[in-house]
Amino acid sequence: MKICQVVAGFGEGGLEKHVRELTQQLLGAGHEVVVFGDRRFVSTLPTHTTTVPVRFHLNRYNPFLLLELLTKLRACNCDVIHAQANKAAGMIALLKPWLCCPTLGTLHNIKRDVRAFHKLDHVITVSKQLAQPFAADQVSVIYNGIDLPAMSPIDLRAAYALPGNLPVLCAVGRLVPAKGFDVLLEAIDGLAVSLLIVGEGAERGALQQRIDGLSSLTHVRLLGHQHNAPALMASSDGVVIASRREGFSYVCAEALLGGARILATDVPVANEILPADLIVPTDDAAALREKLQALLSDTAHWDRLMLTPRQHAMATMRLHTMGERTLALYKTLQQRHRDNTLRP
């Protein structure tokens, strides 16, 4: 197949990671992949990807941008057009009457307005919660996939000068309000635990100020961005996801596949895979504190609760699984399009 992916944004987040990894899977399966995107983004794609720079810095309704995109898409003559995220989906929805192949879009995060996705032939969502606005026959839930490198255990207490007798928790994510690190710090204040926070962001100063005011019983380190975050999680006594909202949590997937214990707030995809005993309400420091204390007092029980989620993650969150399911959907849409074209 000749597969077109349209990526209208530019950054270094989960969306870009997903597109690079999906592209690699599709190329590895022997298909041609053409990615339309910002010049800076397409330069980061795997070797053998066909790239088409587009001026996506312009407004999505800019007529010159829409004409440029339409002209290049029609010249590409792809078998399927896959819009990644909201801006790309909106533009493909506008151009759909002039496109000659099936279209689909991936919804990566919670959006108030998903009307553009409804206009496409099909929708992929990265969690069950995101699939709720769509009819069952219009949507497929395909979790983002990852493959973790081989990891060696890290002595976190020695590496970060932490007390040897205290459990070490780990939390990973951008230092922004959506990740709920302020709630996590409130929850552990006064508990005899250590916490490593891995990530960087605008809230670093406020979080450090809050850390400076914690009880002396509680030890917290802000580590900034770390390339070995999965190994840090796997080496900890437990991973805490305190997010207020998520589309798909790569942190949850990495922790599951790395064999870590997890406690999470009620956000995707944790609330779709973890048992209810490992989910607490969002923005509820008291509930998070109570559950943490119970789990740390009986880590054998915590391990038992993690057995089924880890097995489920191995079956649904690997890169090859994501690639195979996405490719199967492309083929289904292509066949359906052919059938509709041939129908008198």
Side-chain angles (χ1 to χ4, degrees):
M1 297 182 71
K2 189 175 185 181
I3 300 159
C4 171
Q5 295 195 70
V6 181
V7 187
F10 173 73
E12 284 302 322
L15 169 62
E16 291 76 19
K17 172 183 168 68
H18 168 78
V19 173
R20 280 191 287 267
E21 292 176 339
L22 176 58
T23 297
Q24 187 64 64
Q25 292 295 305
L26 297 172
L27 290 170
H31 300 276
E32 182 180 356
V33 183
V34 184
V35 179
F36 290 68
D38 181 278
R39 190 177 300 276
R40 293 165 297 174
F41 171 65
V42 298
S43 68
T44 71
L45 292 165
T47 305
H48 306 305
T49 307
T50 301
T51 61
V52 181
V54 179
R55 295 175 297 167
F56 282 124
H57 62 279
L58 299 174
N59 184 282
R60 71 180 68 187
Y61 301 112
N62 185 298
F64 297 104
L65 172 58
L66 289 169
L67 180 60
E68 176 188 359
L69 181 58
L70 177 61
T71 302
K72 290 180 176 180
L73 284 170
R74 288 177 64 88
C76 182
N77 195 30
C78 288
D79 295 305
V80 64
I81 295 173
H82 188 168
Q84 296 283 354
N86 198 53
K87 182 176 179 180
M91 297 177 69
I92 297 303
L94 288 171
L95 300 177
K96 188 175 184 297
W98 297 278
L99 299 172
C100 302
C101 66
T103 60
L104 73 158
T106 294
L107 180 59
H108 290 270
N109 292 291
I110 296 171
K111 296 292 182 182
R112 295 177 182 174
D113 186 354
V114 295
R115 287 176 293 179
F117 288 92
H118 282 284
K119 297 175 183 178
L120 303 178
D121 294 310
H122 202 79
V123 181
I124 294 173
T125 63
V126 297
S127 71
K128 294 177 182 177
Q129 180 175 323
L130 294 179
Q132 291 176 1
F134 304 99
D137 61 351
Q138 192 199 2
V139 66
S140 299
V141 178
I142 302 178
Y143 291 140
N144 290 341
I146 61 171
D147 278 339
L148 295 180
M151 297 182 293
S152 299
I154 301 171
D155 184 344
L156 299 178
R157 294 167 182 83
Y160 298 104
L162 299 170
N165 61 330
L166 299 185
V168 181
L169 302 172
C170 188
V172 179
R174 291 177 297 118
L175 306 186
V176 295
K179 299 301 181 182
F181 291 120
D182 55 327
V183 178
L184 176 55
L185 292 175
E186 182 181 348
I188 66 169
D189 192 4
L191 297 184
V193 299
S194 297
L195 171 66
L196 301 176
I197 298 179
V198 181
E200 197 54 83
E203 294 291 303
R204 183 183 183 95
L207 291 173
Q208 186 61 63
Q209 186 175 16
R210 180 71 179 89
I211 290 166
D212 293 341
L214 293 178
S215 163
S216 59
L217 293 173
T218 308
H219 302 262
V220 181
R221 304 282 189 273
L222 282 177
L223 303 187
H225 177 74
Q226 300 290 321
H227 291 291
N228 64 341
L232 295 173
M233 289 191 284
S235 301
S236 71
D237 294 298
V239 172
V240 184
I241 298 170
S243 300
R244 293 180 167 94
R245 61 183 182 274
E246 292 280 357
F248 176 89
S249 172
Y250 272 104
V251 170
C252 184
E254 290 173 346
L256 283 165
L257 293 174
R261 305 181 184 109
I262 306 173
L263 173 63
T265 49
D266 190 10
V267 295
V269 292
N271 59 8
E272 299 171 14
I273 293 182
L274 297 178
D277 281 351
L278 297 180
I279 300 293
V280 297
T282 58
D283 264 320
D284 191 335
L288 183 57
R289 179 187 184 91
E290 181 180 356
K291 183 62 69 172
L292 262 178
Q293 288 177 297
L295 292 171
L296 289 171
S297 69
D298 189 355
T299 53
H301 176 59
W302 199 351
D303 284 328
R304 289 191 294 272
L305 291 173
M306 290 301 307
L307 287 175
T308 299
R310 287 171 185 156
Q311 292 170 353
H312 186 56
M314 290 296 292
T316 61
M317 292 184 170
R318 304 294 297 275
L319 274 177
H320 69 88
T321 304
M322 176 187 75
E324 289 170 356
R325 292 196 61 200
T326 305
L327 184 57
L329 178 58
Y330 291 160
K331 291 179 178 178
T332 297
L333 293 174
Q334 184 186 37
Q335 186 59 53
R336 189 181 301 164
H337 181 75
R338 285 173 179 166
D339 293 343
N340 291 337
T341 302
L342 294 173
R343 187 173 297 143

